[in-house]
Amino acid sequence: KATVSVLNCFPHLHYTTMLSAALCAVGVLSAAGAVPPVPKDWAPLYPGEVFTSKNGGSAESSPFKWTDGKLYVMHSSGARADTDCPNANATAFAGYSFFHIREMASGRVVACVEESIGHSFFSAAVDNERGRLWVFGSAQNRGGFKAGPCQQTVSEGCYVGAWSSEDLVTWTPTAESVVVPDKTMIFNTGVTFTSLDATKESPFGAHQAIMVLEPRYATKPVNKSEMYSFALNRGTDGDLTKNWELMFDPLARPIEGCPTIRYDPEERMYYVLGGGHIIIMARSKDLITWEWAKQPMAM
């Protein structure tokens, strides 16, 4: 099956599959509370594979195993299309951030996705059942002075864009999958498929996917009833361009910066990963009560 792992914010870290990364933390979880300290003898429990973009402006990345059995990486890119995508339409990409796909082992660029220009903070999710890669990104342009609706200076009409592909080359047009309230804007997001059967008895009802968001609020202090950290997809057909429902207070993600999310249908457990310079993990059955991993996953 195709799998995906997201280490948001750090294109230069060791890339791993979700399974090998999870071995660092699963089974060593502690009760929710303060973020656990980094052990002095910490070391990753997996062999690292390192590949990075040539573009110094690239950032959030999602390594994934595709249907052909190969490892690829979705890279968030800055405004310099010429370094990552020498054959791209320089006029179309100029001054815009976007994402591109690379083959992990060789570094070969598979696609520079013009449909994504003007968006950023990208993350990817694989639909194993349908053989489709989904990419999500905030409508915030990090490539120049052409502001998008998620820019801090705008904060109106902000949305999370969605794109998908069955061959990593041809991509769907931008879909405004999740539109957030005015006076709020989005940085990172992470999406994972769940299980309609496994989630039908959850406190929130059945959902085929879940998104974790990293919002910022223009007005402070923020009324808790206006705060959000998660969105549930109520659809049943695998289409993640629609049917998203923002979940407001009391749900709050346990990890502040650069979050991503996974779901274990057997345990019926949500796992949130992130944290910035130190990648940590927490898990929950209800998105309210959380347990922390006792050691970091990556540094």
Side-chain angles (χ1 to χ4, degrees):
K1 291 184 177 180
T3 58
V4 66
S5 170
V6 179
L7 295 179
N8 279 346
C9 298
F10 295 97
H12 309 294
L13 285 180
H14 297 291
Y15 293 143
T16 72
T17 63
M18 183 60 192
L19 177 60
S20 58
L23 291 176
C24 298
V26 175
V28 289
L29 292 157
S30 60
V35 176
V38 180
K40 293 182 179 180
D41 60 348
W42 182 89
L45 302 181
Y46 52 85
E49 288 192 61
V50 180
F51 188 81
T52 185
S53 164
K54 297 177 182 178
N55 185 340
S58 66
E60 297 75 23
S61 302
S62 297
F64 60 94
K65 186 177 181 180
W66 190 231
T67 53
D68 59 5
K70 295 181 180 180
L71 291 174
Y72 294 84
V73 59
M74 184 286 303
H75 262 308
S76 299
S77 296
R80 295 186 59 193
D82 59 320
T83 56
D84 285 327
C85 310
N87 297 321
N89 183 336
T91 301
F93 283 86
Y96 289 105
S97 50
F98 60 97
F99 74 84
H100 71 279
I101 307 292
R102 284 180 182 266
E103 186 180 69
M104 182 81 79
S106 67
R108 176 179 63 88
V109 175
V110 177
C112 292
V113 183
E114 187 171 339
E115 289 82 355
S116 70
I117 60 173
H119 299 76
S120 59
F121 295 102
F122 298 101
S123 65
V126 177
D127 183 344
N128 290 312
E129 181 180 346
R130 300 170 182 85
R132 180 173 289 273
L133 180 68
W134 287 87
V135 176
F136 298 86
S138 165
Q140 180 178 156
N141 181 34
R142 297 170 82 183
F145 299 101
K146 302 174 182 179
C150 290
Q151 231 76 14
Q152 289 180 310
T153 55
V154 181
S155 297
E156 293 183 355
C158 177
Y159 66 89
V160 179
W163 305 264
S164 67
S165 176
E166 294 180 334
D167 61 8
L168 306 183
V169 177
T170 304
W171 292 83
T172 57
T174 302
E176 297 183 10
S177 62
V178 178
V179 179
V180 300
D182 285 347
K183 305 302 180 183
T184 69
M185 47 88 69
I186 297 296
F187 285 102
N188 290 284
T189 63
V191 173
T192 190
F193 282 89
T194 57
S195 163
L196 288 170
D197 288 337
T199 59
K200 65 183 179 183
E201 296 181 1
S202 78
F204 321 107
H207 47 282
Q208 68 175 347
I210 183 171
M211 178 185 294
V212 62
L213 304 102
E214 183 185 358
R216 291 292 184 272
Y217 305 95
T219 303
K220 295 182 179 179
V222 183
N223 188 318
K224 285 189 175 181
S225 65
E226 299 174 351
M227 299 177 70
Y228 57 90
S229 294
F230 299 99
L232 303 181
N233 191 286
R234 301 295 191 181
T236 61
D237 60 358
D239 186 354
L240 301 188
T241 64
K242 57 185 180 180
N243 295 318
W244 288 98
E245 175 186 350
L246 275 176
M247 307 298 290
F248 292 89
D249 182 73
L251 301 183
R253 68 191 183 282
I255 296 170
E256 183 65 23
C258 311
T260 189
I261 191 166
R262 295 293 177 266
Y263 182 73
D264 184 334
E266 294 184 1
E267 292 186 337
R268 301 188 177 186
M269 189 79 73
Y270 301 91
Y271 289 81
V272 172
L273 305 85
H277 291 281
I278 300 174
I279 307 300
I280 55 178
M281 175 189 282
R283 70 179 184 179
S284 174
K285 284 185 176 290
D286 59 10
L287 301 176
I288 299 173
T289 304
W290 294 89
E291 295 176 286
W292 289 100
K294 292 180 180 179
Q295 64 178 356
M297 294 177 59
M299 296 172 61

